[in-house]
């Protein structure tokens, strides 16, 4: 039998877990709205393509989060995520402050990698919490998204390094 | 001889690089102000210790950034970083919303790992840019900080996993 203290801890951890899920649900929806703008503002074809691909992935990740809420018997709700608001504001400034071309592309990659790292940290924590609370199926779903976010970050590094090599070759 | 277009690109990349340096300089200074609060709000001794250690490291990273500005013959200036403002606001909410104890500690770790991942993305991009622009010494300095940020993130995961194991052992 569980003690009252253990029950309280379980309930407060559940609240924290739920709050973090609502935070990333907000963040993913905001990102899905912004990705077409990032694709549009990119000059290099591989970068445009990367953002278009990540939009589809993000839409799927949103559905996956809705599945997580359902598995937990909770309503899918978004809670304003100040960090993602700031990250998107920064990414938009990088677009606004630079004319179309290589520098803007590099700026967009920087902004996008910061967004990806926010998501990597968020899904990493959520997967650990799901494990701690015994939500095995939920942990698997969150883990799938975590792998995708890491792959997107690596893809963006690859695109950035290609810029570096092209630049070096042109010198 | 370089063409006018190449010169323009070099100059706009330098501006982007400098802007990103000012962004992380602001972010590190804001973090240095907040870390004592995070250490104070933590319950678990290894977590408190991790934050106290990271404060010293952050202060050193600020000095390293000042060295970078100096090497570039630029003034060390901070530029408001909306993303770090949002990240710190989130971390403070996680403290405010939870009473001292395990749940708050888990919340603080989540907030701190999001901050670390912002820095990992920022220093990763800065090191790549420094490489692209031929600032070898600057790249080495930024690379040193990048390694430290990754180690801090791993340390926090380790502390979090210890919570999980202790919790599992208690059941």
């Amino acid at each position: 039998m569980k003690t009252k203290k253990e029950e309280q801890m379980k309930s407060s951890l559940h609240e924290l877990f739920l709050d973090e899920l609502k935070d990333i649900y907000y963040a993913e929806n905001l990102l899905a709205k912004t990705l077409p703008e990032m694709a549009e503002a990119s000059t290099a074809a591989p970068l445009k393509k990367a953002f278009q691909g990540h939009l589809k992935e993000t839409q799927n990740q949103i559905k996956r989060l809705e599945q997580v809420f359902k598995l937990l018997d909770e309503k899918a709700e978004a809670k304003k995520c100040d960090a993602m608001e700031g990250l998107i504001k920064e990414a938009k400034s990088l677009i606004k402050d630079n004319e179309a071309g290589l520098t803007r592309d590099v700026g967009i990659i920087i902004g996008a990698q910061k967004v990806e790292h926010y998501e990597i940290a968020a899904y990493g924590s959520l997967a650990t919490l799901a494990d701690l609370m015994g939500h095995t199926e939920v942990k698997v779903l969150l883990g799938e998204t975590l792998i995708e976010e890491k792959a997107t970050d690596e893809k963006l590094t690859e695109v950035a390094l290609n810029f570096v090599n092209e630049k070096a070759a042109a010198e």
Side-chain angles (χ1 to χ4, degrees), chain A:
Chain A
M1 221 179 121
K2 291 197 170 166
T3 64
K4 199 180 163 198
K5 205 179 160 195
E6 275 173 337
E7 282 299 334
Q8 276 173 348
M9 191 178 286
K10 202 183 155 190
S11 147
S12 70
L13 265 183
H14 180 75
E15 283 308 312
L16 176 64
F17 185 56
L18 211 57
D19 263 10
E20 288 299 310
L21 278 174
K22 290 175 184 174
D23 175 284
I24 195 70
Y25 188 58
Y26 181 99
E28 292 284 20
N29 277 288
L30 182 60
L31 181 60
K33 270 186 219 153
T34 316
L35 277 167
E37 210 173 309
M38 292 167 92
E40 175 74 28
S42 304
T43 312
L47 190 55
K48 252 187 211 299
K49 212 179 138 192
F51 286 132
Q52 284 157 352
H54 193 51
L55 174 60
K56 281 185 199 157
E57 207 167 50
T58 301
Q59 285 160 341
N60 191 41
Q61 289 165 352
I62 290 171
K63 281 188 198 146
R64 214 178 264 147
L65 282 174
E66 286 161 359
Q67 240 181 303
V68 166
F69 280 110
K70 210 173 167 185
L71 281 167
L72 296 170
D73 215 9
E74 300 277 0
K75 208 178 141 200
E77 265 178 349
K79 187 185 165 187
K80 192 184 170 207
C81 168
D82 291 309
M84 189 59 108
E85 287 280 349
L87 287 161
I88 295 291
K89 197 174 165 189
E90 257 190 49
K92 287 188 176 180
S93 296
L94 285 165
I95 295 174
K96 197 172 60 69
D97 294 349
N98 293 288
E99 279 175 40
L102 184 128
T103 304
R104 187 201 263 175
D105 279 3
V106 172
I108 296 176
I109 291 177
I110 294 175
Q113 286 198 301
K114 287 175 175 177
V115 166
E116 286 313 303
H117 272 276
Y118 181 81
E119 297 187 318
I120 290 168
Y123 283 107
S125 305
L126 281 167
T128 305
L129 271 182
D131 196 23
L132 170 65
M133 306 179 75
H135 301 308
T136 316
E137 217 174 328
V138 167
K139 193 203 160 189
V140 171
L141 287 170
L142 296 168
E144 282 171 19
T145 300
L146 180 59
I147 289 167
E148 288 173 1
E149 303 293 8
K150 285 183 180 170
T152 299
D153 179 54
E154 279 165 22
K155 176 85 200 158
L156 289 168
T157 299
E158 196 190 302
V159 176
L161 288 178
N162 283 343
F163 284 163
V164 179
N165 294 334
E166 276 168 30
K167 170 86 185 153
E171 269 170 3

